[in-house]
Amino acid sequence: MVTPFYEKEETCLYCQHRFVTTKVRSRFVRIEKVHSDFFQEYKDPEINPYLYEVAVCPKCGFAFSDQFEAKLTPNIRERIAQALKGWKEQDFGGRRDLDIAIRAYKLGILSATLKKEKHVVIAGLCLRLAWLFRMKNDEQEEKRFLSEALNQYKKSYERADYIATPMTDIRILYMIGELSRRVGNIDEAIRYFSLVIQHKDKESEQKIVEMAREQWYLIRNSEAL
């Protein structure tokens, strides 16, 4: 009998240790609702791909996702070695609850930062971690990591490190606008939503443009009250 979960073999990008981690079969995933920052609520909270996106090496503690690049320079290897030298072997490979997943994402953000991964990759990890805190109804920690995701998306946009990734100009501008709105930077949210609405490629991503327009109107209407 096929279950929603399966085991996937991974090779640690840092120490090359081979280990097994759990993943979710996409055919079992049922989406209940999508939020304006693309957070997906699932009908069955336990069959949640977000919980399993970050693989954690049980041997060394280095954590990574499919978006990480494989290359590690000698200087970065030394930085990682110093940061993880106190690691005690532990297994993240089985079924995860929110608390275990949160620990995995924090290790992933640490590893991505040490590795000097692209800002767009770190932003994605911070955003998903914020979503996990949303699921826990922890507004303070959610806002903290939404703010960090916003900061990383801004750096990604400034340095254009999202080029050649699934992220586009319009999508990253929208994310900066929406995260700005969610953390209370209203003037900045309006500015970035306007950039989306006026973008030269707006016809190619009409859904995102419409979302930006809706959020822009929501802000304007609330200001008028």
Side-chain angles (χ1 to χ4, degrees):
M1 182 178 176
V2 178
T3 71
F5 303 95
Y6 68 96
E7 291 185 341
K8 180 183 178 184
E9 187 175 88
E10 298 276 11
T11 300
C12 178
L13 300 180
Y14 172 65
C15 74
Q16 300 302 302
H17 176 67
R18 298 177 75 177
F19 62 97
V20 171
T21 192
T22 298
K23 296 289 185 181
V24 177
R25 289 189 171 93
S26 58
R27 76 173 96 162
F28 288 92
V29 175
R30 299 290 183 269
I31 298 171
E32 181 77 30
K33 178 183 177 183
V34 180
H35 294 209
S36 57
D37 60 354
F38 301 106
F39 167 57
Q40 295 177 343
E41 290 184 29
Y42 296 102
K43 290 185 178 180
D44 187 339
E46 292 188 6
I47 306 176
N48 185 338
Y50 297 142
L51 303 180
Y52 301 96
E53 282 194 21
V54 177
V56 181
C57 177
K59 185 177 181 180
C60 71
F62 188 83
F64 55 95
S65 71
D66 291 342
Q67 284 71 50
F68 279 42
E69 294 181 353
K71 185 177 179 181
L72 292 171
T73 66
N75 285 343
I76 287 175
R77 284 189 165 278
E78 178 60 29
R79 187 181 300 116
I80 293 170
Q82 289 299 314
L84 299 180
K85 63 183 179 182
W87 175 261
K88 295 180 181 178
E89 288 195 30
Q90 49 192 298
D91 188 7
F92 283 72
R95 294 278 295 275
R96 294 178 180 175
D97 58 18
L98 277 173
D99 291 330
I100 294 173
I102 285 168
R103 289 177 59 210
Y105 272 94
K106 287 183 176 180
L107 286 167
I109 292 167
L110 171 63
S111 298
T113 303
L114 292 168
K115 185 180 176 297
K116 296 189 175 180
E117 194 55 73
K118 289 180 177 179
H119 292 292
V120 70
V121 173
I122 300 175
L125 292 172
C126 292
L127 181 61
R128 283 159 177 75
L129 181 52
W131 292 344
L132 296 188
F133 282 115
R134 187 177 303 171
M135 293 169 65
K136 281 178 68 84
N137 297 312
D138 187 334
E139 294 182 6
Q140 183 175 345
E141 286 298 280
E142 178 192 347
K143 191 169 183 179
R144 173 189 168 197
F145 284 100
L146 286 177
S147 295
E148 186 55 38
L150 172 60
N151 181 46
Q152 293 294 331
Y153 276 128
K154 284 181 179 177
K155 290 180 179 179
S156 177
Y157 183 66
E158 291 166 1
R159 302 174 192 187
D161 75 359
Y162 61 95
I163 302 298
T165 77
M167 186 66 73
T168 64
D169 262 13
I170 287 178
R171 186 170 287 258
I172 199 168
L173 288 169
Y174 174 82
M175 289 306 301
I176 294 172
E178 175 59 13
L179 297 184
S180 294
R181 184 187 72 82
R182 284 178 175 267
V183 301
N185 299 338
I186 301 305
D187 289 342
E188 193 165 78
I190 291 171
R191 182 161 67 90
Y192 279 95
F193 286 142
S194 297
L195 289 173
V196 173
I197 295 165
Q198 299 164 10
H199 199 279
K200 62 182 178 62
D201 297 327
K202 62 184 178 182
E203 296 302 320
S204 65
E205 296 189 71
Q206 293 182 21
K207 183 178 179 180
I208 304 295
V209 174
E210 186 56 35
M211 290 172 69
R213 188 175 284 113
E214 288 175 2
Q215 298 302 83
W216 188 90
Y217 281 127
L218 280 175
I219 293 171
R220 287 303 191 189
N221 289 338
S222 66
E223 288 181 339
L225 295 177

